[in-house]
Amino acid sequence: MFKIALSAALFVSAPALAQQAAALPDPNDQSDLFSIGAGAGFIPDYEGSDDYELIPVVGIRGRVSGINFYSRGTYLYADLIRRGDNALEFDLGPIVGVRLNRTGKVKDDAVDELPELDTAIEIGGFAGVTYHGLTNPYDALSFHVDLTTDVGDAHGSTVITPTIDFGTPLSTTTYVGVSASAEWAGDGYADYYYSIDPAGSLASGLPLFEADGGFKHWRLSLFANQSISGDLTHGWSIFGIGLYTKLSGDFADSPIVDDRGSSSQWFGALGVAYTF
């Protein structure tokens, strides 16, 4: 669930530019690079749970021949539009990933009695715009919309996620990013993950519930990356991520959330990354 910062956004803040301009790389540099990070994350046991578990987290980010790719959680993105010299650029590309919600044992005894769910295999795409140079030549303000659809035998529905991201370097060794997003999910998603049918009610003791799709949640997140080798564009760094998600509508009213969990969801992760 994390995102390793792109090298074009990992250099210096505006006050340092005047002092170090001669030593700085071209902000439009499109050289190949690759970053990989690994660590531990603290996440809800399922989407809507108030129980938490510690899990390993892994993420990648890179660029090959001007094509950027990166992971967010269990999803992989590829931006097929190469960046030029303009401050405003367009973003467009495919998404592929899996959704693992309630695919294994659940800590809550009642929810664990509900049928185990299948892994959702989701594919789709994203489109948006990014503006560079709002506060310095190396920052990025972006807006994009993700659309994915389950192509397997799980929820069989569509999820739409608009997101605003802003990231900026504070120095040659420190980078921060903030993000705000919302999510809309279809009827199939709501029914698969949040409804409780008569058989599920009998097994779990939870009341019957029929969930309809709609506005699912809003989310705020913060990302920080600190070099431990002197340069965020090469070598080792440490990262930290914090997210807060608030479920809404039938997704928050479902007994697995309202009775047995919480509509407020937290996520945190710490780890190390290497860029070359």
Side-chain angles (χ1 to χ4, degrees):
M1 290 193 172
F2 64 93
K3 180 178 173 182
I4 299 173
L6 240 178
S7 67
L10 295 181
F11 298 114
V12 295
S13 59
L17 292 177
Q19 303 172 13
Q20 302 181 26
L24 295 179
D26 180 359
N28 297 315
D29 179 32
Q30 293 294 289
S31 300
D32 292 354
L33 80 155
F34 184 79
S35 296
I36 183 167
F42 191 61
I43 68 166
D45 188 43
Y46 62 87
E47 193 176 55
S49 174
D50 60 0
D51 294 313
Y52 285 77
E53 62 178 337
L54 196 64
I55 65 165
V57 293
V58 177
I60 62 170
R61 189 172 187 97
R63 180 173 52 241
V64 176
S65 301
I67 302 299
N68 293 294
F69 59 89
Y70 56 91
S71 62
R72 283 188 171 184
T74 55
Y75 295 81
L76 182 64
Y77 294 66
D79 187 354
L80 303 182
I81 299 182
R82 293 175 173 84
R83 183 182 174 186
D85 296 333
N86 298 322
L88 185 67
E89 63 172 320
F90 294 97
D91 309 307
L92 180 69
I95 306 170
V96 60
V98 296
R99 191 178 297 269
L100 304 173
N101 189 30
R102 285 172 49 205
T103 55
K105 182 173 176 56
V106 174
K107 290 183 178 180
D108 186 281
D109 291 338
V111 179
D112 193 47
E113 293 298 329
L114 295 172
E116 186 173 307
L117 303 180
D118 295 328
T119 298
I121 302 171
E122 299 180 3
I123 63 171
F126 68 95
V129 293
T130 297
Y131 182 80
H132 299 275
L134 186 67
T135 63
N136 64 73
Y138 303 96
D139 68 14
L141 173 66
S142 66
F143 171 77
H144 58 90
V145 178
D146 302 351
L147 187 152
T148 59
T149 298
D150 174 34
V151 296
D153 296 322
H155 62 82
S157 188
T158 297
V159 178
I160 300 173
T161 310
T163 302
I164 298 175
D165 292 310
F166 177 72
T168 187
L170 302 180
S171 70
T172 55
T173 58
T174 305
Y175 173 87
V176 296
V178 293
S179 176
S181 65
E183 193 160 279
W184 179 93
D187 288 338
Y189 185 104
D191 184 59
Y192 191 69
Y193 292 110
Y194 292 91
S195 290
I196 300 177
D197 62 15
S201 178
L202 182 63
S204 66
L206 297 172
L208 295 170
F209 188 79
E210 185 176 347
D212 294 323
F215 177 68
K216 175 172 166 279
H217 73 242
W218 57 267
R219 174 175 293 162
L220 299 175
S221 63
L222 175 66
F223 171 83
N225 198 19
Q226 176 67 44
S227 172
I228 53 178
S229 57
D231 183 355
L232 281 169
T233 65
H234 299 90
W236 292 98
S237 63
I238 57 175
F239 67 85
I241 307 164
L243 289 87
Y244 173 75
T245 302
K246 184 67 174 180
L247 295 171
S248 180
D250 281 0
F251 306 95
D253 294 337
S254 170
I256 71 169
V257 179
D258 194 36
D259 294 348
R260 308 297 301 186
S262 173
S263 61
S264 294
Q265 304 280 278
W266 298 90
F267 168 80
L270 291 172
V272 296
Y274 186 77
T275 301
F276 56 92

